[in-house]
């Protein structure tokens, strides 16, 4: 059983077929690329997988169960976490609290414990702080834990977004153009980070990216979207030499 | 970690002691009649306004949604509570000392029910619908309270007389209730804001889409913050009714809602200590400027415009003043001074 499988997935926005007949299959711990020209529908795929939009047709199965109709927060709790193309951090919150928001779905205590600071509050908050700091350490960000998220430099904000998604302990991580706006060194670092994440957290990763060196370097398989339909899928080598892909995207 | 816990413990202690001192001083001043009736009443009003401002801050500051009908929840709580005490105290079932706490809970619960009914449709929509819908609610509920079919409960514009503590035999009673509730409301809204629940609410304010994507049930938490605020406003309404002894719908009009909102905006949206300070100042100021009472709303407007122009985030922004930290700082400065002195 694949971790995630979509069949015949499609969505129409006001008569415009933004996506049509999308078949994806992701196994556990795979790193998969999703590429295509601007406006091809890549982000829309993420929005369908995470429940932001409801597909007009097709099926999405995650760990064997349909997730269509579930709300984004429910899908997050089942095990799909994402980042956004345009960074969406909780700007006025500290780095630590950003991480905790995603983490606290696993660290529950009721509102009475919260208001009167009963033992469950102390226990869960302490554990959360420890875990969050641990996570920050992995990304070399422990020294900015108390800083406001909006004060971080751009590269660290991107990292924090990935880290926050990981804090939800997903089985599938969706990264929407994580290297956007990064210089080559940062991009290279990111490639290493993505590999490390898979090893350390055992997550599968679906990666939208325009930087071909990153995609080809890190992905095991790649899907190519053009005008809302899949035009190719295969290993990086296959994609590189695929006529259709070269015409639609790489050569363009 | 242990050090942190010790420090937190010390902070709690300092806060508790300071609060107890403030309480004792005010209580002695009021019950010993050092403060005259008039100013004792103002102190109680300050407590009530602080409760209202801090509760509205839960929605407007922490959740980041505008509410223009907070007085509506007060009204509902006030009438529910007043009717309860009128019934049980008059027939001698219980004394007001026992009845008032129960009445406050009843007032809060009734207001919370209204909060749910209004909140569910308003909060499902993104954007500032809450402002408009609560504005409508506040006005409708006030008109309803005047309606003839509700006369038996509200006594309409004539006003409903409410049971009060005897000022002659126990001038401090109302203060005790108001102060204790105020302290409780400040504490729980502080701790709420710094828990996983409050963090979820703040995350929604910061970015609703991202919050939802990170597993926050946004509909639930928006509703929760709003209903909690409504509940507390209902409790404040109950206190207010039993403090002034006579309520009529005009006491809970749009102006009242705006007054509470201004307290929050002035203090700094999201800052509890800011709400406390501005609620205190804005309760005392009009009393000092009694002669200019006609111009009170004008004065508020001018202050508000100035704040918006020069300090849009309010007096304190989102910053919290912490007395223990202040004490800590002073002590450390002394320590430092002592050390440098030795060297
Ligand atoms: N909510 C929406 N309403 C209408 N059209 C949309 C919406 N979201 C995306 N689209 C359209 O769907 C197409 C694919 O967009 P997107 O998935 O963002 O592309 P990509 O991420 O590949 O650059 C675009 O033509 C875009 O305008
Ligand atoms: Mg995109």
């Amino acid at each position: 059983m694949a971790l995630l499988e979509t069949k015949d997935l499609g969505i129409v926005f006001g008569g415009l077929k933004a996506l049509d007949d999308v078949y994806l299959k992701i196994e556990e711990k795979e790193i998969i690329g999703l590429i295509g020209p601007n406006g091809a529908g890549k982000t829309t795929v993420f929005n369908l997988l995470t429940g932001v939009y409801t597909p007009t047709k097709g099926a999405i199965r995650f760990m064997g169960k349909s997730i269509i109709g579930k709300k984004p927060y429910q899908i997050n709790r089942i095990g799909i976490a994402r980042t956004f193309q345009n960074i969406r951090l909780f700007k006025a919150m500290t780095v630590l609290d950003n991480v905790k928001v995603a983490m606290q779905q696993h660290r529950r205590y009721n509102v009475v414990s919260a208001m009167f600071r009963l033992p469950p509050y102390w226990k869960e908050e302490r554990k959360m702080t420890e875990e969050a700091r641990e996570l920050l350490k992995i990304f070399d960000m422990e020294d900015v834990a108390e800083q406001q998220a909006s004060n971080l430099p751009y590269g660290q904000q991107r990292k924090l977004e990935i880290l926050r998604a990981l804090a939800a302990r997903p089985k599938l991580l969706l990264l929407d153009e994580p290297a956007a706006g990064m210089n080559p060194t940062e991009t290279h670092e990111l490639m290493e980070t993505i590999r490390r994440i898979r090893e350390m957290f055992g997550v599968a990763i679906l990666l939208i990216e325009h930087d071909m060196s990153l995609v080809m370097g890190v992905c095991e398989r790649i899907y190519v979207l053009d005008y809302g339909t899949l035009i190719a899928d295969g290993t990086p080598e296959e994609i590189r030499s695929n006529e259709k892909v070269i015409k639609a995207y790489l050569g363009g | 970690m242990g050090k942190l816990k010790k420090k937190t413990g010390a902070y709690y202690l300092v806060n508790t002691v300071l609060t107890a001192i403030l309480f004792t001083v005010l209580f002695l001043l009021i019950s010993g009649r050092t403060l005259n009736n008039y100013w004792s009443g103002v102190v109680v009003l300050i407590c009530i306004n602080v409760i209202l401002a801090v509760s509205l801050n839960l929605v407007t500051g922490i959740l980041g949604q505008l509410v223009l009908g907070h007085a509506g929840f007060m009204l509902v709580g006030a009438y529910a509570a007043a009717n309860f005490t009128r019934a049980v105290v008059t027939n001698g079932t219980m004394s007001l000392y026992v009845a008032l706490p129960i009445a406050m809970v009843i007032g809060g619960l009734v207001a919370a029910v209204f909060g749910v009914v209004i909140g569910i449709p308003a909060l499902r929509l993104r954007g500032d619908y809450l402002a408009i819908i609560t504005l409508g609610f506040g006005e409708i509920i006030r008109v309803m309270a005047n309606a003839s079919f509700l006369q038996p409960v509200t006594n309409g514009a004539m006003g409903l007389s409410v049971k009060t503590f005897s000022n002659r035999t126990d001038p401090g009673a109302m203060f005790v209730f108001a102060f204790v509730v105020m302290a409780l409301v400040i504490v729980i809204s502080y701790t709420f804001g710094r828990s996983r629940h409050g963090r979820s609410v703040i995350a929604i304010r910061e970015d609703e889409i991202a919050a939802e994507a990170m597993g926050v049930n946004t509909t639930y938490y928006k509703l929760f913050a709003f209903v909690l605020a409504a509940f507390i406003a209902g409790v404040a309404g109950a206190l207010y009714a039993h403090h002034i002894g006579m309520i009529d719908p005009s006491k809970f009009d749009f102006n009242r809602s705006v007054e509470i909102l201004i307290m929050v905006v002035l203090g700094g949206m999201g800052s509890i200590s800011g709400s406390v300070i501005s609620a205190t100042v804005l309760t005392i100021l009009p009393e000092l400027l009694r002669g200019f009472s006609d111009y009170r709303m004008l004065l508020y407007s001018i202050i508000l415009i100035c704040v918006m122009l020069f300090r849009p985030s309010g007096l304190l922004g989102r910053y919290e003043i912490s007395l223990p930290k202040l004490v800590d700082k002073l002590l450390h400065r002394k320590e430092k001074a002592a050390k440098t002195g030795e060297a």
Side-chain angles (χ1 to χ4, degrees):
Chain A
M1 184 180 67
L3 179 66
L4 178 91
E5 196 168 5
T6 72
K7 279 195 181 122
D8 192 23
L9 194 61
I11 186 165
V12 178
F13 289 121
L16 174 92
K17 274 189 187 171
L19 281 178
D20 201 21
D21 283 343
V22 175
Y23 286 78
L24 299 173
K25 198 168 178 181
I26 301 171
E27 303 290 339
E28 274 184 34
K29 300 191 193 176
E30 268 189 318
I31 302 182
I32 305 291
L34 180 60
I35 63 173
N38 269 329
K42 305 178 297 292
T43 300
T44 306
V45 170
F46 276 19
N47 284 335
L48 289 178
L49 295 181
T50 55
V52 175
Y53 302 142
T54 314
T56 30
K57 64 168 191 154
I60 307 172
R61 295 188 151 271
F62 182 66
M63 299 199 295
K65 289 200 193 96
S66 171
I67 56 168
I68 287 175
K70 288 201 189 308
K71 297 212 170 112
Y73 80 90
Q74 292 170 320
I75 290 176
N76 173 275
R77 292 181 191 183
I78 299 171
I80 303 179
R82 72 177 290 183
T83 65
F84 294 89
Q85 186 171 346
N86 314 306
I87 305 178
R88 283 178 172 273
L89 289 172
F90 308 126
K91 290 204 181 84
M93 296 170 88
T94 63
V95 169
L96 199 64
D97 273 345
N98 266 270
V99 177
K100 279 184 171 183
V101 169
M103 194 171 267
Q104 63 195 12
Q105 313 313 327
H106 301 283
R107 294 257 164 240
R108 310 191 139 255
Y109 53 86
N110 63 30
V111 89
V112 177
S113 299
M115 285 176 172
F116 299 99
R117 300 217 158 157
L118 304 179
Y121 162 85
W122 292 107
K123 189 175 142 230
E124 299 300 331
E125 284 293 328
R126 201 189 55 235
K127 278 196 186 144
M128 243 192 299
T129 309
E130 278 168 17
E131 285 171 18
R133 284 191 184 277
E134 204 65 33
L135 207 56
L136 286 169
K137 205 180 279 176
I138 296 172
F139 286 75
D140 288 323
M141 287 178 67
E142 72 262 44
D143 49 333
V144 292
E146 301 298 339
Q147 278 202 31
Q148 199 172 305
S150 59
N151 291 343
L152 296 182
Y154 181 81
Q156 286 204 328
Q157 292 199 10
R158 282 258 174 229
K159 271 210 298 199
L160 176 56
E161 233 205 352
I162 300 175
L163 211 156
R164 184 182 65 177
L166 278 172
R169 298 189 205 155
K171 295 199 173 57
L172 174 62
L173 181 62
L174 311 177
L175 302 178
D176 199 344
E177 302 197 20
M182 285 187 172
N183 62 37
T185 334
E186 285 173 321
T187 306
H188 187 78
E189 229 181 78
L190 182 70
M191 198 154 96
E192 291 307 314
T193 309
I194 290 174
R195 286 210 191 91
R196 210 149 48 109
I197 287 171
R198 189 250 305 266
E199 296 313 319
M200 293 189 73
F201 299 89
V203 287
I205 296 170
L206 180 59
L207 173 73
I208 296 176
E209 191 45 71
H210 281 300
D211 188 304
M212 277 308 124
S213 66
L214 176 67
V215 176
M216 297 290 175
V218 77
C219 294
E220 281 133 16
R221 280 189 301 121
I222 296 170
Y223 289 94
V224 188
L225 267 181
D226 192 27
Y227 290 110
T229 55
L230 283 178
I231 55 166
D233 74 89
T235 62
E237 293 74 45
E238 287 167 356
I239 295 300
R240 224 190 306 253
S241 55
N242 185 305
E243 289 294 324
K244 274 200 227 160
V245 179
I246 293 171
K247 213 167 130 203
Y249 188 44
L250 295 179
Chain B
M1 224 54 221
K3 200 175 166 190
L4 188 76
K5 211 169 192 178
K6 227 178 185 174
K7 208 163 192 179
T8 319
Y11 280 6
Y12 288 174
L13 191 69
V14 174
N15 270 329
T16 313
V17 169
L18 290 174
T19 311
I21 292 173
L22 180 66
F23 174 80
T24 313
V25 169
L26 286 172
F27 180 73
L28 291 177
L29 286 176
I30 291 171
S31 63
R33 296 179 201 278
T34 316
L35 276 183
N36 66 20
N37 274 348
Y38 177 74
W39 283 103
S40 302
V42 172
V43 172
V44 175
L45 269 184
I46 290 174
C47 294
I48 294 172
N49 281 337
V50 167
I51 296 169
L52 285 163
V54 170
S55 72
L56 184 60
N57 184 52
L58 284 171
V59 189
T60 299
I62 297 182
L63 178 61
Q65 294 246 8
L66 209 54
V67 170
L68 292 174
H70 216 47
F73 297 113
M74 249 185 111
L75 179 150
V76 175
Y79 278 101
N83 277 291
F84 175 75
T85 51
R86 269 167 72 96
V88 296
V89 176
T90 311
N91 70 18
T93 315
M94 50 180 94
S95 76
L96 188 57
Y97 292 93
V98 184
L100 183 56
I102 302 173
M104 286 193 285
V105 174
I106 292 173
L109 288 177
V110 174
V113 169
F114 277 86
V116 171
V117 172
I118 296 157
I120 286 178
L123 290 166
R124 285 167 68 106
L125 307 164
R126 287 221 168 99
D128 275 335
Y129 292 95
L130 196 64
I132 297 157
I133 292 181
T134 50
L135 169 67
F137 159 72
E139 286 306 286
I140 290 169
I141 206 79
R142 190 175 56 78
V143 173
M144 292 274 284
N146 276 318
S148 55
F149 74 100
L150 282 175
Q151 290 277 332
V153 207
T154 63
N155 204 24
M158 300 285 294
L160 185 72
S161 76
V162 189
K163 297 281 166 199
T164 49
F165 294 109
S166 155
N167 196 30
R168 199 168 41 79
T169 55
D170 192 355
M174 204 54 219
F175 165 74
V176 173
F177 280 105
F179 189 93
V180 169
V181 173
M182 175 187 76
L184 200 64
V185 166
I186 292 173
V187 167
I188 63 166
S189 61
Y190 181 87
T191 51
F192 174 80
R194 278 151 193 76
S195 71
R196 61 177 284 256
H197 304 285
R199 213 178 277 127
S200 297
V201 176
I202 297 171
I204 295 170
R205 175 189 76 200
E206 292 297 306
D207 192 322
E208 191 168 343
I209 292 172
E212 176 94 18
M214 290 303 126
V216 174
N217 185 346
T218 52
T219 314
Y220 171 82
Y221 274 111
K222 283 196 282 184
L223 193 64
F224 188 92
F226 181 62
V227 172
L228 179 62
F231 177 88
I232 299 171
V235 173
L239 278 168
Y240 181 67
H242 292 84
H243 172 56
I244 59 173
M246 184 75 159
I247 51 174
D248 69 90
S250 71
K251 294 215 159 58
F252 309 93
D253 61 0
F254 179 65
N255 281 348
R256 189 82 179 93
S257 293
V258 172
E259 258 180 56
I260 306 166
L261 183 64
I262 289 176
M263 290 170 183
V264 176
V265 174
L266 267 185
M269 294 210 242
S271 167
I272 298 170
S273 33
S275 290
V276 173
I277 293 170
S278 68
T280 308
V281 172
L282 288 183
T283 314
I284 296 177
L285 205 62
E287 303 300 335
L288 292 177
L289 304 173
R290 248 314 182 224
F292 308 92
S293 66
D294 290 346
Y295 303 104
R296 189 164 68 162
M297 280 327 261
L298 183 69
L299 181 72
Y300 277 8
S301 313
I302 293 170
I303 293 176
L304 199 61
I305 290 170
C306 290
V307 169
M308 286 303 155
L309 282 178
F310 301 111
R311 203 168 157 74
S313 57
L315 207 60
L316 293 185
R318 282 180 188 140
Y319 184 76
E320 293 291 0
I321 290 181
S322 157
L323 289 175
K325 264 186 202 158
L326 228 68
V327 173
D328 211 32
K329 250 187 207 159
L330 287 174
L331 288 178
H332 275 276
R333 190 172 295 162
K334 265 188 200 149
E335 260 172 41
K336 254 189 208 159
K339 265 184 200 155
T340 43
E342 275 166 32

